[in-house]
Amino acid sequence: MTDLITTHANADFDALASMVAARKLYPGARLVLPGSQERAVREFMSLCSDLVKIEYEKDASLENVTRLIIVETRLKSRIGKMAQLVGKKGVEVHIYDHHPRTDGDVKAAKDIYKKTGASTTILVELIKDREIKISPLEATIMALGIYEDTGSLTFPTTTREDVDMVSFLISNGADLHLVSSYLRGELTEKELRLLALLIQSTEVHVINSVHVAIAAITSEEYVDDLSLLAHKLEDAENFNLIFLMVQTRDRVQFIARSALPFVNVSKVAALFGGGGHPSASGAVIRDMNLVEAKAKLIEYLRSHIHSDIKAKELVTGKPVELKIDEPVSGASEKLVKALCEYAVIKDNGQVEGITSLKDLDRAVSLGFGHARVKGYMSRKIFPVKPDTSIYAIQDMIQEKDVGCVPVFDGGNLLGLVTRSDVLRAFHGRLFAAAAGGELKEPRGVTVNITPRIKKTFPAKMAELLRFAGRLAEETGFTAFAVGGFVRDLLLGVVNFDVDIVIEGNAIEYAKRLSKELCGVYVYHKRFGTATVFCPCPAGIAPSRSSGGKFRIDIAMTRTEIYEKPAALPTVKFGPIENDLYRRDFTINAMAFRLSRHHFGELLDPFNGRADLKDGTIRALHDLSFVDDPTRIFRAVRFEQRFDFKIEPRTENLIKKAVGLKMVDRTQKQRIREELIAILSEEKPLKAVRRLSELNELRFIDPDLTLKSKNIELFSAAEEALAWYDNTHTGNRHALERWLVYLAVLLDELDPAQVKKICGDFVFRKADAAKIISYKKNADRVLAAISKKEKLRASEVYGHLEGLSHEVMVALMAKTPSQAARRRIMSYMTKYAHVKLDLRGDDLKKAGIEPGPHFKELIKKTLHAKLDGKIKTKDGELAFALQHYRR
Ligand code: ATP
């Protein structure tokens, strides 16, 4: 008797491990793999090919096989040429699989099915029961199988048996180091590229009210691990139902994922001859091209996606009931306490109407808290029955434009179904939040940071934030403080740059806020954002670049879609969760609520607070730097500013994006802004060094590297700037520190290269002029003012006159000459302030004809004053006249 064990093509670790486990039950059986395998599996097998003997179908003979053992699938179409053995006389078939049985399955003499997270688990249980000995290597392979198919025991499909068998395998010597090194985490460059293509091609179809994402692309080569990409795409884009199709030369790879209980994607895969689980399935399509397969998919979904959810399943409990003559303010409190958006209003036991928290709150804010709820309810109610379908409810909510419908079982009120309930059922939590008024789930609230706000800011600031929240509510919107402002607050850093996001119309809100605060607002049309400038409240310093005013930046909460890597994203309205997800790092992806009843509640979906504590910079997802390569500079900037560490996975993602030369595809102006931001940091050298380590100075100029000379120049620039700050205290911000650092960074390049950089990065004219002036004048001026012999003040003045402060500070950094440095200092602190008392009018009155010589005369007189030759206004006039006559 010859036993042959096989599994499905494109074997993953669960398939491989199931085969290895099956051989323990069928000692002496041959293991034959059909088709190709996932990349990680191939790599693993090449490592242990001597220890685990495996044949490939192309070399395997099927002669004399009397028993075929199929694991991890029960579909004939997935086992390659071993399908020839199915139904062959004299061949008995045994199956071990955790996929639910379907009609098209291979008929087997023995068919073991169990609902476990991994097929391996079923086989390991048998091994354990029969007390069969296994080696540590076998235990490791089997553990890999279970870990992989259960997402390291985290997928909802994981069962207690999976966990128990992992523990059995560990006690049999499974090596978890090896396991974790093979479990796929990061994407390769090729996969990153493919993922970017998939994202780019994703179309969202609304089919029978369900959002369906379909990504269809053509690829030169077969994609090893499409299911991993599906997983990443699901994660990155939060789709609840996704279909991926990749056309290679002779086939279309198909993968489907569903997080919706009423869409079983194993049935969809069956349409193409594949199979799987209700939530994850796949197929290899050979008889259709991409276009045909996609059309067939959509046609099928149109007639098959139907939710059978009924009203009774959507109701989440007894509604809040109010009496018709209750005062509005008390009623509003009741709803807030019950975390409900709507309440029914009863009179004599009969439902008379429905009211919403929003309406009640609006009444309170307008001063009608004492009024009766009767005046703030809608008498138009549209009752539904417990068996009414979700589609009918959805139509009713839309047509009648109501926020909810009551569900009656005869005369008995079961509860309310709200618009959010319907959206949540169709699209999961994220979309539900977009409907607004999401009170049932506190959206990952972890902590209330009001005490920290009080501790960090003057009282007026907290007042202002509360006011901003209240105003949003009055307008029917929800407001959050977000981003760097929240990060700094948690770090205890006082930052008055308030960033507010609004679930609602941000511009309308900005208009109202500026009016209430007696300020003005500026609308940034290109970004759909606004800035409000208002008088500074007591104790609050004006923010940077706000001309002495207090500044509040306002944007709507949005979802960003990166249609092309490195290009600017398409932006549309989305709930706060999406808004946080589009941000750069976990520490910048936190918000807190400004609304009255939830003021200070922190939203921290990515554990940014923990990363702040640990000092970690962490990207939110694998595509972060592909989507927006400017984040590379931001990561480096925050790492150095806070003395944090970019965590290893994020650093790897950066390295991959650097390898893909993503920065070259980014708008140069955006990179310029990030470069300016880095060079504006208190100590930019650290960040520049880090960029150089990551080989990202290359983006400025291919020849630019950080040499020890530049490093010395940076330190010298720091000292020169420190001197400048001390001597120009009132005037510190007039000097653009970043220009000084840029000048020293570019010191090694020749003038033509520097000019090109200024043009390429579109530096502002005045800034470019300063950088170029440094390049052009540095050597000449320094040679002139470094002379050992005495120079008159007027001579120093003549050399330095007209140079900007930035250029002079950069010259101070560059020169090794003490004398030159002293002369520049004297110029900036003394000579530059010497002015003549003599005016042009005085010269005219003294009989000097106006003309070009005026200027020359004034200059000579000034030089004489600088050199101490004249002290008084009369002296100045006498000197001028004397020279005029000459
Ligand atoms: P700083 O203290 O340097 O001003 P910041 O975090 O406030 O730091 P901003 O550039 O003002 O930086 O950005 C405000 C917020 O916008 C950030 O905290 C982050 O949430 C988000 N953000 C800015 N740039 C990006 C980007 N390129 N990608 C994703 N999110 C970004």
Side-chain angles (χ1 to χ4, degrees):
M1 183 181 256
T2 311
D3 288 335
L4 187 152
I5 301 174
T6 193
T7 185
H8 57 78
N10 201 24
D12 53 10
F13 277 115
D14 191 25
L16 177 74
S18 296
M19 286 171 72
V20 170
R23 183 151 56 187
K24 302 304 288 181
L25 303 175
Y26 298 86
R30 291 162 55 204
L31 305 186
V32 183
L33 275 170
S36 64
Q37 299 77 44
E38 284 189 355
R39 185 169 53 84
V41 173
R42 267 201 323 268
E43 282 170 14
F44 180 81
M45 286 193 332
S46 66
L47 192 81
C48 57
S49 57
D50 293 344
L51 302 166
V52 185
K53 199 102 203 88
I54 295 199
E55 299 171 58
Y56 295 91
E57 67 173 340
K58 63 178 176 18
D59 314 314
S61 154
L62 301 186
E63 302 239 322
N64 306 324
V65 174
T66 50
R67 198 155 52 178
L68 174 69
I69 298 102
I70 308 174
V71 294
E72 237 289 271
T73 181
R74 42 167 63 84
L75 292 175
K76 194 172 160 185
S77 59
R78 300 203 67 201
I79 57 173
K81 83 173 184 187
M82 271 64 77
Q84 296 165 19
L85 295 171
V86 174
K88 188 174 167 195
K89 220 166 148 224
V91 178
E92 188 176 302
V93 179
H94 290 185
I95 296 178
Y96 297 83
D97 186 23
H98 70 142
H99 295 105
R101 295 192 175 105
T102 59
D103 292 344
D105 291 350
V106 167
K107 299 275 171 289
K110 183 171 180 180
D111 182 348
I112 308 284
Y113 161 72
K114 201 162 172 187
K115 197 174 166 206
T116 51
S119 288
T120 312
T121 301
I122 303 173
L123 291 142
V124 177
E125 276 189 314
L126 293 169
I127 292 173
K128 184 173 176 238
D129 287 350
R130 295 183 199 172
E131 296 182 7
I132 300 171
K133 289 250 164 313
I134 52 174
S135 69
L137 177 65
E138 286 166 338
T140 305
I141 299 173
M142 293 174 207
L144 247 176
I146 303 179
Y147 271 116
E148 185 200 56
D149 236 24
T150 58
S152 299
L153 305 177
T154 62
F155 290 166
T157 45
T158 310
T159 62
R160 224 198 65 214
E161 287 82 355
D162 296 304
V163 181
D164 287 349
M165 288 312 107
V166 164
S167 114
F168 167 74
L169 294 168
I170 293 174
S171 58
N172 275 279
D175 177 351
L176 289 187
H177 285 299
L178 201 66
V179 170
S180 63
S181 66
Y182 277 91
L183 287 178
R184 297 294 316 278
E186 284 161 28
L187 300 178
T188 60
E189 266 185 42
K190 191 176 132 199
E191 285 165 340
L192 267 174
R193 236 187 279 269
L194 271 171
L195 189 53
L197 276 177
L198 283 167
I199 291 183
Q200 207 174 330
S201 80
T202 302
E203 293 169 2
V204 178
H205 298 252
V206 182
I207 300 180
N208 299 335
S209 302
V210 179
H211 282 71
V212 182
I214 303 179
I217 60 166
T218 303
S219 161
E220 293 279 297
E221 313 162 46
Y222 184 79
V223 183
D224 272 341
D225 214 350
L226 193 55
S227 59
L228 176 70
L229 295 188
H231 195 64
K232 294 283 177 197
L233 193 59
E234 243 182 320
D235 270 4
E237 303 290 321
N238 274 308
F239 295 127
N240 289 301
L241 184 56
I242 179 154
F243 298 94
L244 302 192
M245 292 178 158
V246 180
Q247 166 99 61
T248 45
R249 231 162 299 144
D250 58 343
R251 63 187 95 164
V252 177
Q253 288 173 261
F254 174 82
I255 289 273
R257 294 280 181 271
S258 167
L260 301 176
F262 55 90
V263 182
N264 176 346
V265 286
S266 75
K267 290 198 177 149
V268 186
L271 180 74
F272 298 114
H277 297 279
S279 57
S281 66
V284 175
I285 310 169
R286 291 176 196 276
D287 53 353
M288 271 177 256
N289 65 26
L290 193 64
V291 176
E292 291 162 345
K294 190 170 150 194
K296 184 164 176 175
L297 171 71
I298 293 175
E299 187 193 320
Y300 174 89
L301 294 176
R302 285 216 175 98
S303 53
H304 285 81
I305 297 190
H306 287 297
S307 157
D308 52 3
I309 299 177
K310 307 272 192 258
K312 62 183 173 208
E313 292 153 51
L314 291 168
V315 165
T316 42
K318 276 274 171 209
V320 174
E321 294 186 1
L322 303 171
K323 293 202 192 76
I324 198 149
D325 53 1
E326 263 185 61
V328 164
S329 54
S332 140
E333 291 297 326
K334 277 188 188 167
L335 277 172
V336 168
K337 265 205 197 118
L339 294 178
C340 282
E341 289 170 74
Y342 296 96
V344 292
I345 294 159
K346 282 190 162 175
D347 192 21
N348 286 328
Q350 290 296 313
V351 176
E352 290 293 324
I354 290 180
T355 190
S356 70
L357 178 62
K358 207 158 98 189
D359 289 342
L360 296 178
D361 267 359
R362 192 166 289 149
V364 174
S365 68
L366 294 171
F368 298 112
H370 57 282
R372 310 281 141 197
V373 290
K374 184 157 74 174
Y376 295 91
M377 71 179 192
S378 163
R379 286 186 186 273
K380 284 192 213 137
I381 59 170
F382 301 94
V384 299
K385 298 204 173 84
D387 280 332
T388 307
S389 85
I390 189 171
Y391 292 103
I393 297 176
Q394 188 191 32
D395 288 348
M396 188 169 295
I397 283 177
Q398 267 165 11
E399 250 170 52
K400 310 290 182 197
D401 194 21
V402 288
C404 69
V405 292
V407 185
F408 282 96
D409 188 6
N412 182 21
L413 175 67
L414 293 185
L416 298 173
V417 176
T418 65
R419 182 182 278 140
S420 313
D421 294 331
V422 172
L423 282 172
R424 187 185 297 110
F426 274 131
H427 313 298
R429 204 173 68 87
L430 272 183
F431 285 87
E438 172 77 352
L439 286 171
K440 283 192 182 141
E441 292 173 10
R443 305 202 212 174
V445 168
T446 49
V447 73
N448 193 308
I449 59 169
T450 309
R452 186 163 273 280
I453 299 172
K454 278 194 186 143
K455 199 170 137 201
T456 312
F457 290 125
K460 284 278 171 208
M461 184 73 170
E463 251 173 55
L464 192 131
L465 292 171
R466 281 182 191 275
F467 177 77
R470 219 167 40 237
L471 188 75
E473 277 179 302
E474 280 169 19
T475 328
F477 305 145
T478 314
F480 307 83
V482 74
F485 176 71
V486 181
R487 175 201 66 217
D488 287 349
L489 175 62
L490 291 176
L491 283 172
V493 174
V494 180
N495 170 357
F496 290 125
D497 286 349
V498 187
D499 264 329
I500 291 180
V501 290
I502 299 289
E503 276 183 347
N505 184 334
I507 307 305
E508 191 187 320
Y509 174 77
K511 249 189 232 174
R512 286 201 57 175
L513 186 67
S514 65
K515 195 163 160 219
E516 295 286 342
L517 298 178
C518 303
V520 291
Y521 81 98
V522 179
Y523 174 35
H524 313 290
K525 199 164 172 207
R526 215 174 115 220
F527 302 105
T529 59
T531 306
V532 169
F533 295 97
C534 61
C536 269
I540 302 182
S543 63
R544 288 175 258 155
S545 70
S546 62
K549 296 274 187 226
F550 185 65
R551 168 192 179 128
I552 307 172
D553 284 307
I554 297 165
M556 74 170 174
T557 53
R558 44 195 160 149
T559 301
E560 285 182 352
I561 299 172
Y562 287 84
E563 287 166 2
K564 277 198 194 103
L568 282 177
T570 307
V571 174
K572 60 180 191 191
F573 175 73
I576 181 75
E577 287 86 348
N578 284 17
D579 191 276
L580 295 179
Y581 187 73
R582 77 180 174 83
R583 289 172 187 269
D584 46 6
F585 309 110
T586 56
I587 59 165
N588 287 339
M590 291 182 275
F592 67 85
R593 288 172 175 277
L594 300 179
S595 57
R596 254 176 319 162
H597 299 292
H598 298 273
F599 185 83
E601 279 177 3
L602 186 71
L603 304 183
D604 180 15
F606 308 103
N607 268 334
R609 214 157 64 103
D611 281 342
L612 267 186
K613 276 204 187 113
D614 296 346
T616 298
I617 306 288
R618 190 190 307 276
L620 302 191
H621 56 86
D622 280 8
L623 280 184
S624 188
F625 301 102
V626 174
D627 282 347
D628 181 356
T630 63
R631 292 175 187 160
I632 298 172
F633 304 98
R634 295 178 63 82
V636 166
R637 177 153 66 91
F638 293 124
E639 180 185 54
Q640 304 308 326
R641 181 195 297 174
F642 299 124
D643 218 357
F644 280 14
K645 188 93 196 96
I646 299 175
E647 58 94 29
R649 186 184 130 257
T650 301
E651 186 162 339
N652 264 338
L653 296 172
I654 292 180
K655 286 183 178 153
K656 275 180 195 153
V658 171
L660 290 172
K661 297 211 160 74
M662 294 306 302
V663 170
D664 297 355
R665 299 207 230 164
T666 311
Q667 265 187 353
K668 286 249 196 288
Q669 289 95 314
R670 296 191 62 220
I671 306 286
R672 176 198 65 212
E673 288 310 307
E674 289 305 330
L675 179 65
I676 292 177
I678 282 187
L679 296 176
S680 304
E681 290 286 317
E682 205 56 39
K683 291 193 187 303
L685 175 60
K686 286 200 293 177
V688 171
R689 262 199 175 144
R690 186 77 154 111
L691 275 184
S692 164
E693 260 169 48
L694 293 166
N695 192 24
E696 274 301 32
L697 285 179
R698 184 192 52 83
F699 76 90
I700 306 178
D701 186 281
D703 290 346
L704 187 62
T705 50
L706 195 64
K707 305 205 178 71
S708 54
K709 167 113 186 287
N710 297 90
I711 295 175
E712 280 166 22
L713 281 177
F714 263 91
S715 306
E718 227 172 79
E719 271 175 35
L721 279 163
W723 169 82
Y724 185 87
D725 288 346
N726 277 334
T727 44
H728 294 75
T729 35
N731 184 21
R732 185 178 162 171
H733 291 291
L735 183 115
E736 301 278 9
R737 304 167 63 83
W738 66 269
L739 269 169
V740 176
Y741 287 118
L742 184 63
V744 303
L745 180 65
L746 304 183
D747 194 67
E748 292 277 284
L749 301 183
D750 62 44
Q753 281 169 304
V754 172
K755 216 168 168 185
K756 181 168 182 320
I757 291 169
C758 289
D760 286 352
F761 287 88
V762 204
F763 276 100
R764 275 187 9 221
K765 254 199 191 132
D767 295 337
K770 288 178 188 173
I771 304 167
I772 293 168
S773 133
Y774 170 77
K775 199 80 233 167
K776 262 197 349 217
N777 296 310
D779 291 343
R780 180 184 54 78
V781 172
L782 286 178
I785 61 170
S786 300
K787 288 190 183 130
K788 287 236 170 63
E789 58 269 30
K790 197 170 161 21
L791 283 184
R792 285 195 307 273
S794 59
E795 285 175 295
V796 174
Y797 188 97
H799 292 304
L800 295 175
E801 189 192 3
L803 296 180
S804 69
H805 280 202
E806 286 87 353
V807 171
M808 282 187 276
V809 174
L811 291 177
M812 280 175 69
K814 185 176 166 74
T815 182
S817 149
Q818 276 287 357
R821 234 184 334 267
R822 243 184 306 106
R823 282 164 180 153
I824 297 173
M825 289 175 177
S826 301
Y827 176 87
M828 282 203 274
T829 51
K830 286 193 285 186
Y831 308 159
H833 305 297
V834 173
K835 299 274 175 293
L836 288 183
D837 295 318
L838 193 66
R839 306 266 143 254
D841 271 357
D842 298 323
L843 293 178
K844 272 194 248 164
K845 275 189 206 146
I848 302 177
E849 287 290 309
H853 51 280
F854 244 56
K855 212 170 143 199
E856 189 53 27
L857 211 49
I858 285 191
K859 186 172 147 194
K860 276 201 177 124
T861 314
L862 179 66
H863 282 194
K865 185 169 181 177
L866 279 164
D867 294 339
K869 292 184 188 152
I870 19 181
K871 305 258 187 263
T872 61
K873 185 173 176 184
D874 289 343
E876 287 172 17
L877 187 59
F879 182 89
L881 282 171
Q882 192 185 347
H883 278 76
Y884 177 63
R885 283 179 199 126
R886 257 197 233 155

